[in-house]
Amino acid sequence: MSKSLRLSEKWFRRGLWLVALVFASFLIGLGGTLVGDLPQVERALQLDDFIDRAAAEPLRAGVREAERTEQQAARELEQAELKLSVAQQASRTARETFGNWVATRRATAQPDQDAELIARTRALDGLKAKEDQAQQQVDAQQQVALDARQAQEAAQQKLAVLEADAQEKLRAEYRRVELRVFGYRLALTLPLLLIAGWLFVKKRKSTYWPFVWGFIFFALFAFFVELVPYLPSYGGYVRYVVGIVLTVLVGRYAIVALNRYLARQKLAEAQPDIVRREELSYDTALARLAKSVCPGCERPVDLKSPAIDFCPHCGIGLFDHCRACDARKSAFSKFCHACGTSAQTQTLSGQPTVAGVLPA
C-alpha cells in the first residue's frame, strides 16, 4: 500500500509507528518492573522453616560445644606437646651426659664416685618421669580432642538427616511458590493477551491504531518474555501441552478467518461490476494493482499485457479508455494520465461517480 500513499502520508505513518514502538517500550518497562516485583509477594523461605527445631537445636548446641571443646583441646595440646618436647630434650641431654660420665668412671674405676652415680641415676629417672608426665598430658588432650571430634561427627550425622528431610520440604515449597508466582504472572499476562487479541481483531485499523499496536507489542512481549520462560516444566509436559493449545487456538482462528475471507470473496465476485467497485477503496485498489493482482479477487493478473482489460478470474474491469483522449488507462484511476481529465463515468442511474470508486 505504500506506493499508493502520498509522501507526507508515508512519513506520518512512519512517525505513528515510532509512536507505537515508544508506547510499547514504556508499557514493557512498566510491566517488567511489576513482574519483577511479583516474587516479593512471597516470603523468603529458609531451611529452618521446615526442620524439626525440637530435635535440631540440641544437636546444633552439641555440635557447637564439641567444636569449642576440640578447639580448646587443640590449644592445650599444643602447650602439652611443647612441654613434652622440652622434657624429651632435657631427658635426651641428661642421658647423653650420664652415658659419658659412666664411660669415664669405668675407665678410671674410682669407687668413691658410686654415690654420684646413684645421684645421677636418680636425676635421670626424674627427667624420665617428667617426660612420661608430659606424654600423658599430650595423650589426654589428644583423647579429649578425639572425643569432641567424634561427638561432633555423631551430632552432625543426626543433624544431616533432619536437614535432608527439611531440604526436601523446602524444595517442595519452592515448587509451590514458583507455581504461585507463575499464577500471578499468568493472571497479569493472560488478560493483556486477550485484550490485545480483541484490539487486533476490532481496532487495529482505527484512528488510534498506533496505541493499539503498541499495546499488542507489549502484550506479546509480556507473554513470550515474561511468561513463557517461566512455564513449569514437569518433564516438558506442560510446555508441550501449552504449545499444542496455543497452536490449536491460533490455527483455528486462521482457518475460520480464511473461510470467512473466501466466503466474502465468493459473495463479492457474484456482485455486479459497479457494486464491487463501490466496495473497494481507492488506496486498496492501487495497493493490489501495485502487486500485480486483481483488486477484486486478489488473483495474479498480467497487468502489463495490453490485451487484458478485464480480470480473467472474476471479470472486474481493470482498464478502460479516457472519454476525452481515448487513452487506455487504469479503470481505478481518478484522472487520465494522458490528458488529466477527471475519470467520471455514468452509473446505471445516471449519477456521476469518480471512476466508480468511493474515496478512501
Side-chain angles (χ1 to χ4, degrees):
M1 183 180 289
S2 60
K3 294 183 179 179
S4 64
L5 298 177
R6 301 175 181 89
L7 182 60
S8 58
E9 188 176 357
K10 289 182 181 179
W11 283 104
F12 272 121
R13 283 186 174 273
R14 292 170 182 171
L16 291 176
W17 277 113
L18 180 61
V19 171
L21 294 177
V22 172
F23 182 61
S25 66
F26 281 113
L27 287 177
I28 289 172
L30 177 62
T33 302
L34 180 60
V35 170
D37 290 338
L38 284 180
Q40 299 182 10
V41 176
E42 297 289 338
R43 185 177 64 87
L45 300 175
Q46 297 178 352
L47 187 65
D48 285 349
D49 297 332
F50 303 93
I51 200 169
D52 186 357
R53 292 177 179 269
E57 287 303 324
L59 292 175
R60 289 175 175 172
V63 170
R64 291 193 294 269
E65 182 62 28
E67 288 178 348
R68 286 195 296 268
T69 302
E70 185 178 5
Q71 291 174 357
Q72 180 65 26
R75 289 193 293 268
E76 293 182 1
L77 178 61
E78 290 180 356
Q79 294 292 333
E81 288 177 342
L82 180 60
K83 292 179 180 179
L84 175 62
S85 178
V86 172
Q88 287 176 340
Q89 181 63 34
S91 178
R92 188 166 45 250
T93 302
R95 281 197 300 270
E96 292 176 357
T97 303
F98 180 73
N100 294 334
W101 182 84
V102 169
T104 302
R105 183 185 180 285
R106 287 175 181 175
T108 58
Q110 295 178 358
D112 57 346
Q113 293 182 346
D114 289 343
E116 185 177 357
L117 174 62
I118 295 173
R120 287 177 177 270
T121 302
R122 289 176 179 176
L124 186 61
D125 290 340
L127 292 175
K128 180 60 178 176
K130 290 182 179 179
E131 181 181 349
D132 292 340
Q133 185 180 4
Q135 183 64 53
Q136 290 175 359
Q137 292 178 354
V138 169
D139 294 339
Q141 295 304 322
Q142 288 179 341
Q143 185 64 45
V144 171
L146 178 61
D147 293 341
R149 185 163 55 251
Q150 290 178 344
Q152 178 183 356
E153 291 175 355
Q156 285 179 337
Q157 288 177 355
K158 295 179 181 179
L159 186 61
V161 175
L162 296 177
E163 290 179 347
D165 182 63
Q167 187 67 39
E168 185 61 31
K169 294 179 181 178
L170 178 62
R171 283 194 292 266
E173 184 61 25
Y174 267 131
R175 288 192 291 268
R176 287 190 286 269
V177 170
E178 288 176 357
L179 285 177
R180 287 198 294 270
V181 174
F182 175 76
Y184 301 149
R185 291 175 182 267
L186 184 63
L188 179 65
T189 305
L190 190 58
L192 297 178
L193 202 62
L194 294 176
I195 295 173
W198 181 82
L199 290 175
F200 176 79
V201 174
K202 300 293 185 181
K203 300 294 183 179
R204 69 179 185 272
K205 295 183 180 179
S206 65
T207 303
Y208 300 100
W209 64 265
F211 299 107
V212 172
W213 279 104
F215 188 87
I216 291 173
F217 293 152
F218 159 63
L220 292 176
F221 180 88
F223 178 76
F224 288 104
V225 177
E226 301 293 351
L227 181 65
V228 171
Y230 296 92
L231 280 175
S233 177
Y234 294 111
Y237 290 104
V238 174
R239 295 178 182 269
Y240 290 135
V241 170
V242 171
I244 291 172
V245 171
L246 291 178
T247 303
V248 169
L249 292 177
V250 174
R252 182 182 180 279
Y253 173 80
I255 293 172
V256 172
L258 177 61
N259 290 334
R260 289 177 179 174
Y261 168 77
L262 294 177
R264 287 196 304 268
Q265 286 296 108
K266 186 176 181 180
L267 182 62
E269 292 175 9
Q271 300 294 327
D273 185 273
I274 189 170
V275 175
R276 296 166 63 190
R277 288 176 176 275
E278 290 177 353
E279 292 178 351
L280 280 172
S281 69
Y282 178 68
D283 289 339
T284 301
L286 292 186
R288 293 177 180 177
L289 288 173
K291 298 176 182 178
S292 296
V293 298
C294 171
C297 65
E298 298 188 55
R299 294 187 177 94
V301 178
D302 185 8
L303 299 178
K304 296 181 180 180
S305 175
I308 296 180
D309 289 336
F310 295 88
C311 175
H313 306 291
C314 65
I316 194 172
L318 302 175
F319 295 94
D320 56 15
H321 293 269
C322 177
R323 61 185 176 84
C325 65
D326 200 40
R328 184 174 180 267
K329 65 177 185 63
S330 172
F332 297 91
S333 298
K334 293 183 178 181
F335 298 90
C336 176
H337 65 276
C339 64
T341 302
S342 176
Q344 290 184 343
T345 59
Q346 295 294 328
T347 63
L348 295 178
S349 61
Q351 299 299 323
T353 179
V354 178
V357 181
L358 295 176

